[in-house]
Amino acid sequence: MKGAEKSAAAMGQAIVPHLPMIWRFALSLSRKRDVADDLVQATCVRAIEKHHQFDGTGRLEAWCLTICRSIWLNQVRGQAVRAASAIDTVPEAELRAIIPDQESNIFAAEVLSQVMKLPLAQREVVFLVYVEGFRYSEAAQMLDIPIGTVMSRLAAVRGKLKWMQNESAQAQQKGEA
């Protein structure tokens, strides 16, 4: 195998463990399972084609998520009109990372449902920081925004989620009365 082919093949193998993370991020961007699948495929192809651009000093998964976001933004820009649609039904197990000490699956599903209603810019930050565990500085670098913007978006999300929780609690109280 030639050197460039070997490096491309090595990149392909290195990406495999990160595919679930890339898919979750793609779903958070697109809100549609089939589009997320296509985004992951395009991300893998681009990463393999551009393997020589990965310098090895950063995290491979962060580089792949940056590629995924770039592809998504290019697709969005390329469409004149984008119809708004709800998230497709996706099995809960595919949306969340499996963590042994995970508390309530029901609570996680409710939070995910609320997060998917947020604007794209806020969803991106939530998924990178809270779901995938990237530091604020890493998320800022991947999204090419200042760290203060990451912090501001997360604060806004916390406020919106709290507001949504209060609205839900009030609706339940009215239903019980």
Side-chain angles (χ1 to χ4, degrees):
M1 193 181 303
K2 296 178 184 172
E5 292 173 12
K6 185 176 182 183
S7 296
M11 176 60 73
Q13 289 300 314
I15 292 172
V16 171
H18 305 294
L19 290 176
M21 177 189 294
I22 297 167
W23 188 85
R24 287 189 302 268
F25 185 64
L27 182 65
S28 78
L29 296 173
S30 68
R31 297 182 184 185
K32 296 175 107 179
R33 182 186 181 116
D34 58 334
V35 176
D37 292 342
D38 292 344
L39 274 172
V40 171
Q41 183 176 7
T43 299
C44 291
V45 168
R46 176 96 37 97
I48 291 168
E49 288 174 346
K50 306 288 185 181
H51 68 275
H52 59 279
Q53 292 180 359
F54 181 67
D55 62 9
T57 59
R59 293 171 60 179
L60 177 60
E61 64 271 26
W63 186 66
C64 289
L65 294 178
T66 302
I67 291 171
C68 181
R69 180 176 182 266
S70 175
I71 292 169
W72 169 250
L73 291 175
N74 287 339
Q75 288 176 356
V76 169
R77 286 182 195 119
Q79 296 176 353
V81 177
R82 185 165 185 84
S85 63
I87 185 171
D88 288 345
T89 303
V90 177
E92 289 180 20
E94 293 182 30
L95 293 174
R96 289 177 268 111
I98 299 170
I99 303 170
D101 61 346
Q102 193 173 21
E103 293 188 18
S104 169
N105 287 342
I106 296 170
F107 178 71
E110 289 174 4
V111 170
L112 179 65
S113 173
Q114 297 304 318
V115 167
M116 293 307 285
K117 294 176 183 176
L118 296 170
L120 175 62
Q122 292 176 341
R123 276 196 325 269
E124 288 176 327
V125 174
V126 167
F127 270 82
L128 290 175
V129 174
Y130 293 138
V131 176
E132 302 303 345
F134 287 98
R135 293 187 313 256
Y136 289 8
S137 59
E138 292 172 319
Q141 184 179 8
M142 283 187 277
L143 299 173
D144 195 27
I145 58 176
I147 193 169
T149 302
V150 170
M151 295 165 63
S152 174
R153 288 179 184 174
L154 290 173
V157 167
R158 286 190 293 270
K160 283 183 182 180
L161 290 177
K162 186 174 182 177
W163 178 82
M164 289 176 187
Q165 180 183 20
N166 289 341
E167 289 290 313
S168 176
Q170 289 176 357
Q172 287 178 349
Q173 287 176 351
K174 288 180 182 178
E176 292 175 0

